[in-house]
Amino acid sequence: MKIAVIGLGYVGITTALFFHHFHYDVIGVDIDSKKITQLCSGKLPIYEPELEALLQKQLTKPSLTFTMDIKQAIKKANILFITVGTPSNKDGSANLSHVKEVAQSIGRYQNGDKIVVVKSTVPVHTCEKVRDWIIQSQTQPYAVEVVSNPEFLREGTALYDAMHPDRIIIGAENAQAAEVVKSLYSSLNAPILITRLRTAELIKYTANAFLALKISYINEIARLCDTLGVDVDEVAEGIGLDQRIGRSFLKAGIGWGGSCFPKDVSSLWHLFKSKQIQSKIIPALVDVNETQVDYYIKQLEKRLHGVNGKTISILGIAFKPNTDDTRDSPAIRVIQKLHRKQALLKVYDPIVFKHHQLSIPATICQTMDEVFNNSDCIFLLTDWNEFIQLDWNAYIHLMRTPFIIDGRNALDGPSLQQMGYMYYGIGK
Ligand code: UGA
């Protein structure tokens, strides 16, 4: 069986390497020539731990190739995975133009029966549309079965998550096609749930929105903890021990971001609106997330007696550690808001600036000396290990005011206080 993976972002690259690891012939396809050149020479176009080493190892075999030639890939493969992006439209709905283009190419170049597996996160009924788009573009009436197989991997741990999924969801209207896709995962020890197409599509959105809800809930509780003298991390521990609740995604912080939660939550909300069903929960979880940044900027202003003219050093700009992704990162929102309040900003991130040139109103630091020098406040916004393991004692003397605001509750507050820092965490 030959697999084509069309769209080589985080999900596509991981999917291609995953199936190749399990001995399938894989062709990775993308329209970006730079990306294809990089991949062919063993370089990842993204920062994702472990993936580059696996790519280099696998490229030694001819059964893994990367190409821009979608026509040949469609002709050669029997199973076609669609892994292109589905960014947000202005109205919050998912933009399906890339999915549609791929579907039309499949129809145009189809030379035999194919199974098309949609891994991109798409609204309910999209897979049915994909089937229509393929059939409308066909030059000959070949059979095509569309299967939904949503992806649950996280950036930063993409390879581990792909190899150790909690579950595999397969949505299909044709039992035989579902079995073929199921067989692709036979090496994994994970429960496999087969559903209708539309159910699988909704499972993905519901899962992402639920995880975002958990974070927004604990973040709202954190604000209450601030006023009650209660430590939110202990509350999370206490409730997380209840198996019905669970401990994960209850880490209070400056808020959730990234390329998935914001767009998927907004797409789900759009789905409610398009069906004229009022959602009370989704606007609330979005509102808590949006105001979390404002709430902690206010706390910062209170403690520094205003931020106008103060030097604030931001640690971390990625939306979470172990990724170079800054899409919808809360750190960017913080920088923009503090800039509007006339704060003087410095920023350091161990990975992002090595890969991207960002247009932000802040001085980019190369060293920790630069970060701490004459700073009135360190604002930690991404919990990179480098910051957790930093020798904080070695830099305190460089600061004008030794104040730390820990936007990820990642640091050891009591130790920092012993060193002489004023430490303020989220809901601490
Ligand atoms: C998320 C989902 O976790 C994946 O299951 C899904 O496959 C993926 O979206 C997707 O749809 O492609 P990802 O966006 O990579 O994965 O990142 P997460 O690890 O979920 O973190 C999202 C945000 O929530 C980050 O900003 C993170 O810092 C924040 N977060 C996470 C918290 O503030 N607290 C937590 O306890 C957990």
Side-chain angles (χ1 to χ4, degrees):
M1 229 161 354
K2 215 180 188 59
I3 293 174
V5 178
I6 306 168
L8 297 171
Y10 286 90
V11 171
I13 296 174
T14 313
T15 302
L17 298 187
F18 170 86
F19 285 121
H20 189 253
H21 175 80
F22 290 111
H23 311 297
Y24 290 100
D25 277 17
V26 177
I27 314 171
V29 187
D30 203 285
I31 50 169
D32 183 342
S33 60
K34 199 173 149 210
K35 213 180 248 188
I36 295 299
T37 311
Q38 280 178 302
L39 286 164
C40 288
S41 61
K43 288 213 167 62
L44 271 194
I46 48 169
Y47 175 82
E48 180 63 42
E50 295 181 45
L51 224 48
E52 196 163 87
L54 184 64
L55 169 70
Q56 286 166 5
K57 193 173 141 209
Q58 295 196 355
L59 273 177
T60 55
K61 295 188 187 142
S63 42
L64 175 68
T65 51
F66 295 101
T67 180
M68 285 175 67
D69 190 346
I70 191 166
K71 180 177 172 180
Q72 285 309 316
I74 290 166
K75 286 187 181 299
K76 283 182 192 160
N78 342 65
I79 303 187
L80 309 165
F81 275 83
I82 301 182
T83 51
V84 293
T86 51
S88 285
N89 285 317
K90 275 204 178 110
D91 64 358
S93 61
N95 182 327
L96 297 176
S97 58
H98 299 309
V99 175
K100 186 174 181 181
E101 278 162 34
V102 173
Q104 288 172 330
S105 297
I106 293 173
R108 203 173 308 130
Y109 303 130
Q110 202 174 341
N111 57 342
D113 298 349
K114 309 274 174 187
I115 294 180
V116 175
V117 188
V118 179
K119 238 189 203 309
S120 303
T121 302
V122 292
V124 175
H125 295 313
T126 302
C127 286
E128 290 159 43
K129 286 186 192 157
V130 166
R131 190 170 186 279
D132 292 344
W133 290 327
I134 294 172
I135 289 170
Q136 285 157 12
S137 311
Q138 282 178 338
T139 49
Q140 284 188 56
Y142 292 115
V144 61
E145 287 303 335
V146 178
V147 175
S148 167
N149 175 215
E151 182 53 64
F152 299 100
L153 60 80
R154 293 161 296 173
E155 290 180 22
T157 48
L159 186 60
Y160 179 88
D161 289 351
M163 296 288 182
H164 306 91
D166 286 339
R167 79 299 205 187
I168 307 284
I169 303 292
I170 296 170
E173 301 302 316
N174 175 299
Q176 229 177 329
E179 284 305 316
V180 172
V181 176
K182 185 179 169 186
S183 71
L184 299 177
Y185 293 100
S186 59
S187 309
L188 297 181
N189 183 21
I192 296 182
L193 181 67
I194 296 183
T195 67
R196 294 199 66 185
L197 264 182
R198 63 186 73 166
T199 314
E201 293 169 323
L202 189 57
I203 286 172
K204 168 70 193 223
Y205 277 121
T206 311
N208 270 4
F210 185 72
L211 292 170
L213 169 68
K214 278 186 96 175
I215 304 167
S216 280
Y217 179 61
I218 202 69
N219 282 346
E220 192 170 64
I221 295 289
R223 298 184 198 175
L224 190 61
C225 289
D226 269 341
T227 65
L228 297 175
V230 174
D231 182 338
V232 72
D233 287 339
E234 287 180 23
V235 175
E237 190 69 38
I239 64 167
L241 286 168
D242 183 331
Q243 284 181 20
R244 293 169 302 172
I245 298 172
R247 181 66 180 89
S248 59
F249 280 70
L250 285 179
K251 190 147 184 271
I254 197 67
W256 41 267
S259 61
C260 304
F261 283 0
K263 87 169 165 62
D264 294 349
V265 166
S266 107
S267 176
L268 182 61
W269 192 1
H270 189 269
L271 193 60
F272 269 91
K273 288 184 208 157
S274 71
K275 297 289 166 198
Q276 274 116 41
I277 300 198
Q278 198 191 358
S279 167
K280 301 226 181 235
I281 288 175
I282 293 175
L285 71 95
V286 169
D287 183 64
V288 171
N289 198 50
E290 282 173 359
T291 54
Q292 186 76 342
V293 163
D294 302 317
Y295 180 87
Y296 284 97
I297 286 181
K298 234 182 225 140
Q299 301 301 316
L300 177 65
E301 287 181 295
K302 227 196 274 172
R303 282 160 178 82
L304 289 184
H305 308 293
V307 293
N308 186 338
K310 300 273 166 61
T311 301
I312 297 170
S313 306
I314 307 291
L315 282 185
I317 194 163
F319 82 96
K320 66 172 190 177
N322 300 320
T323 177
D324 62 343
D325 199 341
T326 57
R327 281 175 285 178
D328 257 312
S329 173
I332 304 231
R333 291 209 296 277
V334 170
I335 289 171
Q336 282 161 348
K337 285 184 189 240
L338 286 174
H339 173 67
R340 261 180 252 131
K341 289 176 182 281
Q342 321 270 315
L344 306 170
L345 297 161
K346 300 196 242 182
V347 60
Y348 173 86
D349 189 284
I351 290 293
V352 169
F353 300 111
K354 290 183 186 145
H355 294 254
H356 306 283
Q357 281 187 327
L358 299 179
S359 158
I360 42 164
T363 306
I364 295 157
C365 300
Q366 309 294 339
T367 65
M368 280 297 158
D369 277 7
E370 286 174 54
V371 170
F372 282 79
N373 209 12
N374 285 328
S375 181
D376 293 295
C377 167
I378 303 283
F379 200 163
L380 184 144
L381 291 170
T382 315
D383 38 349
W384 286 99
N385 231 356
E386 180 173 332
F387 306 149
I388 297 166
Q389 283 167 3
L390 188 72
D391 179 5
W392 288 83
N393 215 3
Y395 297 99
I396 188 167
H397 67 283
L398 294 175
M399 290 187 78
R400 201 157 31 212
T401 331
F403 181 69
I404 298 173
I405 171 159
D406 181 357
R408 293 292 177 183
N409 284 355
L411 305 174
D412 182 349
S415 304
L416 291 166
Q417 279 162 340
Q418 269 183 354
M419 292 174 204
Y421 283 103
M422 288 172 278
Y423 173 86
Y424 179 67
I426 306 286
K428 286 283 183 185

